Amino acid sequence: MASLHSGEWRDICDKFTTAQQLNESQTDPETDPFRSKYNARELLREIYRSLKSFEAADGEEDSGGESGEQRPTEEPLDGQKEDSSGPSISGDSADGLRAAKLGAVEYYLGVNHIDTEELSAGQEHLMNCLKQLERCSVSSQNVSLCIHVRNQLGILWAGRDETEMAQGYLETAESIYQCYMKEDGTPPTDMTEYFTTEENMLTHQERTKRFGLAFTHTMYYLAQVYKSLGQTERAATYCHTTLQRQLQLNQFNPMEWALNAASLSQYYITRGHYMEGRHCLAAATVVSDLAGEVPSEAAAQESEAESERREQLRQKRAEIGRCWIKYCLNLLQDAKKQLEDNIGELDTDRQDELKRARRREEEEEEKGRKSALLFGSDDTFDSIASAEEKVLCFCPLDYTEARSVYLVGQNYVIQAKEYFQMDGYVTDHIEILQDHSALFRALTFFEEDLERRCKIHKRRIDLLEPICNELNSKYYLLIRRQLMFELAETYNEMMDLKLTLANRQADTQSLDSHTIKKSNSLCTASAKYFQMFLDSLCSPDGKFPEHLEEEVLRPALVARFRVARLHSRLISSSPQVQLVNLNKSLENYKYVVQYCEAHPEATSAVETELELSTEMAGLLPLKINRLKARMASNN
């Protein structure tokens, strides 16, 4: 082959450099979007022919097909060799280097064809590259190419929804990297160096960075593959590794990295791994700040680029904020599950037990952090640790701790609503309001003062009621149903609290008119929203469905049960009004019983409600008859 110092070789190197520049060109006209890539392709073919002619001149035998022609190839899974005897050429030898150079041209032609949407031709060139490499042992001269070509084949097959094929190539790439780093570990030759003059060779530091980045891409693609295969835990591990490697190599877009880290946090949160989830979110917050300040409205109006940047930064930071909201909400809800007794109240014995265990957990935290894969570089590690300290990663055990979590969540609610406003983001805005309401509700569990609990629930109503009444059911029916049901439950909880307070008062004195009026008002409001929910299920002619669809089955039957209960809780001194309320209550209890009798499959959805409805459907007629008798005797 021609000397590295010869004019012919320098000509090849110049052609390669030009081809690379053409492949990356962004100046092609819309009418001919691939012009530069087609020109790059011709240069690569010329390089391939030159390499083959050098090989022939050196007396070498033809070691592969011709890149300019389309050649059929078989598609064995990666790791299966056509020649069972294994590699016949040392990767470090001159022949191994020749094979690597030919393979590299095939690789670049493959990527070129894929970029121009000629996938079959691209696949063929990549397979030709793989065949060249399979003749040689893995060495520092070809290991980078070995990984790159398998990464590209993995992407190609994943794009065709052939996930297992993609998995085979990518896992082989991972194995090659790990074996090389264990057995050799020296910075390997980069593919671009095959066609670089000696004075332009890369430094060891740059080689290490590029090789590490290739493997980072392998990790990233494997994360996507495992996610597609439903292997969520494995996908999360690979995603975490990818993000950490990107930070270490300083190869990342701050906002994209931050959003990926925030998204990863949601996986950890749903599995109760709050320390890892918090770490991801703290890192996302810190790294997102590296993107700089949000341009002002004035700057956005003067520049399209600044306008786009303003939009991107505001949106992605709001999305990260929403991930923080979910973190706080899930932490509070999980704490409630740990601390509640069988009637949903705070179990103080359990609370004391968990507080005693807390000290042991804190001691274990540091050990856990040392074994966990932490994000951060020299520039960001301290900032990430500082951001973590602002919120708990253990379930709160009392009101003070719960409130501190709530306040963090509320802060991100305010931030998220600044971007996701009703005007333009109706669904997102309402989801944020619903999360805010859920934060309030979770906080009430820790509040021992019943009057203060009522006030917190009132804030939930103030959040949701105006929106519910403003929404058009024609366009937002499902959202309105959610809001109706939540408002009905919130009024119901307030009524229960008021009656509990009233019953305490009744130990020493009778209920006053104000208490009765307030209780009845809450009871009526709850029943109204439950009935609005039920009415929303009716046909246009106002007929309630004979068969309830699965997605509304439980809510509809629970709403009927609650309406029945609410009518029986209304307080009135008038026997006539009492009779009307009891009859309405009986009617709804009977509906739950009769529907489940007609549709036995519905029983499992409302077992508790059905049991109570059956009992009340038997008891209420007796109560109604006694009331009627008393009314008759009074007349």
Side-chain angles (χ1 to χ4, degrees):
M1 189 169 286
S3 165
L4 290 178
H5 302 286
S6 71
E8 291 175 292
W9 181 250
R10 286 185 176 274
D11 183 51
I12 286 178
C13 293
D14 289 342
K15 285 181 180 179
F16 178 78
T17 300
T18 303
Q20 293 290 84
Q21 292 169 349
L22 288 169
N23 269 324
E24 296 170 4
S25 174
Q26 302 292 326
T27 60
D28 292 337
E30 291 184 9
T31 54
D32 191 7
F34 299 136
R35 177 191 295 172
S36 295
K37 293 188 183 298
Y38 292 146
N39 292 335
R41 183 182 302 175
E42 289 307 313
L43 289 174
L44 289 169
R45 285 173 174 168
E46 289 179 20
I47 293 171
Y48 189 89
R49 287 192 289 268
S50 296
L51 291 176
K52 296 297 287 183
S53 67
F54 291 161
E55 197 174 274
D58 289 343
E60 296 291 334
E61 294 181 359
D62 190 351
S63 60
E66 296 178 2
S67 184
E69 303 293 334
Q70 298 289 322
R71 291 155 298 187
T73 57
E74 295 182 3
E75 295 296 336
L77 280 174
D78 197 20
Q80 298 177 350
K81 309 279 175 106
E82 291 183 356
D83 181 1
S84 59
S85 63
S88 59
I89 302 174
S90 168
D92 286 325
S93 67
D95 287 348
L97 181 57
R98 291 187 186 98
K101 289 179 177 180
L102 288 169
V105 179
E106 292 279 15
Y107 169 82
Y108 285 115
L109 281 166
V111 174
N112 178 282
H113 279 82
I114 291 170
D115 287 344
T116 59
E117 301 173 5
E118 300 166 79
L119 301 186
S120 295
Q123 173 188 334
E124 186 173 351
H125 284 295
L126 293 175
M127 290 306 298
N128 287 335
C129 172
L130 205 57
K131 285 182 178 180
Q132 289 283 357
L133 293 172
E134 287 177 345
R135 299 167 54 227
C136 310
S137 61
V138 175
S139 72
S140 62
Q141 287 195 145
N142 62 24
V143 65
S144 183
L145 180 58
C146 287
I147 291 171
H148 274 93
V149 68
R150 287 173 172 85
N151 283 351
Q152 285 296 330
L153 284 164
I155 297 168
L156 182 66
W157 285 106
R160 294 169 171 171
D161 291 328
E162 294 282 352
T163 311
E164 291 182 358
M165 285 287 286
Q167 180 185 5
Y169 286 114
L170 293 168
E171 287 182 346
T172 302
E174 178 186 22
S175 177
I176 289 171
Y177 176 86
Q178 291 172 340
C179 288
Y180 177 80
M181 293 303 292
K182 181 179 180 180
E183 296 172 6
D184 189 324
T186 58
T189 303
D190 186 69
M191 298 181 302
T192 59
E193 292 184 281
Y194 296 147
F195 309 105
T196 302
T197 54
E198 190 170 0
E199 64 270 19
N200 292 321
M201 291 293 182
L202 301 176
T203 63
H204 278 207
Q205 184 179 8
E206 184 61 26
R207 282 183 174 184
T208 300
K209 183 176 180 179
R210 293 193 183 191
F211 188 50
L213 190 57
F215 181 61
T216 301
H217 290 154
T218 306
M219 296 288 97
Y220 174 78
Y221 303 139
L222 275 171
Q224 312 310 309
V225 164
Y226 291 138
K227 183 178 180 181
S228 296
L229 292 172
Q231 300 177 26
T232 52
E233 185 172 354
R234 204 171 184 185
T237 299
Y238 276 73
C239 182
H240 201 133
T241 303
T242 299
L243 292 169
Q244 174 64 349
R245 290 182 62 84
Q246 287 175 334
L247 277 185
Q248 290 173 341
L249 295 168
N250 195 27
Q251 292 288 321
F252 62 94
N253 175 292
M255 289 313 303
E256 288 181 9
W257 191 98
L259 203 55
N260 286 331
S263 299
L264 178 60
S265 75
Q266 305 305 285
Y267 164 80
Y268 289 125
I269 290 166
T270 56
R271 281 154 181 78
H273 300 159
Y274 288 103
M275 185 177 71
E276 293 86 345
R278 181 184 68 172
H279 184 64
C280 288
L281 286 168
T285 300
V286 170
V287 172
S288 72
D289 288 341
L290 300 179
E293 295 292 327
V294 175
S296 66
E297 286 189 45
Q301 290 174 357
E302 293 177 3
S303 165
E304 186 176 341
E306 287 293 277
S307 175
E308 184 177 343
R309 184 167 178 270
R310 173 182 166 82
E311 175 70 12
Q312 288 291 319
L313 290 178
R314 292 182 69 234
Q315 179 181 351
K316 290 182 178 179
R317 284 174 179 165
E319 289 171 356
I320 292 169
R322 294 184 70 177
C323 291
W324 270 113
I325 295 168
K326 294 295 186 185
Y327 173 89
C328 295
L329 179 56
N330 278 268
L331 189 61
L332 289 170
Q333 290 174 338
D334 279 359
K336 179 178 182 292
K337 291 175 185 176
Q338 288 188 24
L339 291 166
E340 65 185 348
D341 56 22
N342 57 4
I343 59 170
E345 290 297 323
L346 180 66
D347 185 333
T348 54
D349 291 337
R350 176 66 174 156
Q351 184 183 40
D352 291 339
E353 177 188 338
L354 289 174
K355 283 185 176 181
R356 288 192 296 271
R358 168 71 64 80
R359 184 176 299 173
R360 294 194 299 272
E361 288 183 19
E362 289 174 344
E363 291 172 355
E364 290 296 319
E365 179 189 9
E366 184 62 27
K367 296 179 182 178
R369 290 190 67 79
K370 288 178 180 177
S371 63
L373 185 61
L374 300 181
F375 294 133
S377 60
D378 293 339
D379 297 331
T380 60
F381 190 86
D382 290 342
S383 298
I384 292 172
S386 177
E388 287 180 293
E389 292 173 359
K390 295 177 181 178
V391 64
L392 295 173
C393 67
F394 294 111
C395 287
L397 299 179
D398 55 35
Y399 180 79
T400 301
E401 291 182 347
R403 185 172 181 273
S404 72
V405 174
Y406 164 79
L407 289 174
V408 172
Q410 179 176 249
N411 180 54
Y412 284 106
V413 165
I414 294 169
Q415 290 184 28
K417 285 197 300 184
E418 285 180 4
Y419 179 80
F420 293 108
Q421 298 183 8
M422 273 295 283
D423 184 12
Y425 296 97
V426 175
T427 303
D428 293 292
H429 184 85
I430 292 173
E431 286 176 358
I432 294 168
L433 292 182
Q434 289 174 307
D435 282 343
H436 195 184
S437 173
L439 284 168
F440 274 129
R441 185 179 184 184
L443 183 62
T444 62
F445 173 78
F446 296 90
E447 176 54 74
E448 297 179 5
D449 186 298
L450 300 190
E451 283 287 359
R452 285 168 64 181
R453 274 199 206 180
C454 281
K455 290 177 180 178
I456 295 173
H457 284 307
K458 180 61 168 64
R459 294 184 69 179
R460 295 174 62 200
I461 289 170
D462 292 341
L463 274 177
L464 302 180
E465 198 164 43
I467 298 294
C468 181
N469 293 331
E470 288 174 16
L471 284 179
N472 188 328
S473 292
K474 181 178 179 180
Y475 303 107
Y476 301 105
L477 178 60
L478 294 179
I479 295 175
R480 278 207 79 204
R481 284 177 179 169
Q482 292 173 7
L483 295 174
M484 291 169 189
F485 203 91
E486 183 168 354
L487 284 165
E489 287 191 316
T490 306
Y491 274 116
N492 187 66
E493 289 181 57
M494 288 182 68
M495 180 204 68
D496 285 341
L497 289 169
K498 288 293 184 183
L499 287 177
T500 300
L501 285 166
N503 289 334
R504 291 178 182 176
Q505 181 183 351
D507 292 341
T508 57
Q509 55 184 308
S510 60
L511 296 180
D512 57 55
S513 59
H514 173 76
T515 301
I516 294 173
K517 184 178 179 181
K518 184 64 176 177
S519 174
N520 283 348
S521 173
L522 294 170
C523 190
T524 302
S526 180
K528 179 187 80 170
Y529 279 109
F530 276 127
Q531 192 59 54
M532 285 171 63
F533 172 83
L534 292 168
D535 291 344
S536 76
L537 303 175
C538 294
S539 62
D541 60 1
K543 186 178 180 182
F544 198 75
E546 293 183 6
H547 176 77
L548 295 167
E549 298 297 329
E550 184 178 356
E551 62 269 17
V552 297
L553 173 63
R554 175 168 171 75
L557 293 178
V558 168
R560 285 279 194 172
F561 171 78
R562 295 282 176 79
V563 168
R565 178 176 176 272
L566 288 162
H567 279 294
S568 68
R569 302 291 292 275
L570 285 166
I571 302 171
S572 175
S573 58
S574 167
Q576 289 83 2
V577 174
Q578 291 176 25
L579 185 60
V580 170
N581 290 334
L582 288 174
N583 278 322
K584 286 182 178 179
S585 180
L586 179 60
E587 175 189 340
N588 282 282
Y589 281 130
K590 279 185 173 180
Y591 177 88
V592 176
V593 174
Q594 291 169 358
Y595 186 90
C596 290
E597 288 174 350
H599 304 85
E601 70 279 3
T603 303
S604 60
V606 285
E607 290 181 356
T608 302
E609 290 81 6
L610 176 59
E611 181 182 350
L612 292 171
S613 295
T614 303
E615 181 182 352
M616 294 305 296
L619 293 175
L620 276 181
L622 300 175
K623 188 173 183 178
I624 289 171
N625 288 335
R626 286 198 298 270
L627 178 59
K628 285 181 177 178
R630 190 163 66 249
M631 290 170 63
S633 65
N634 289 338
N635 291 335

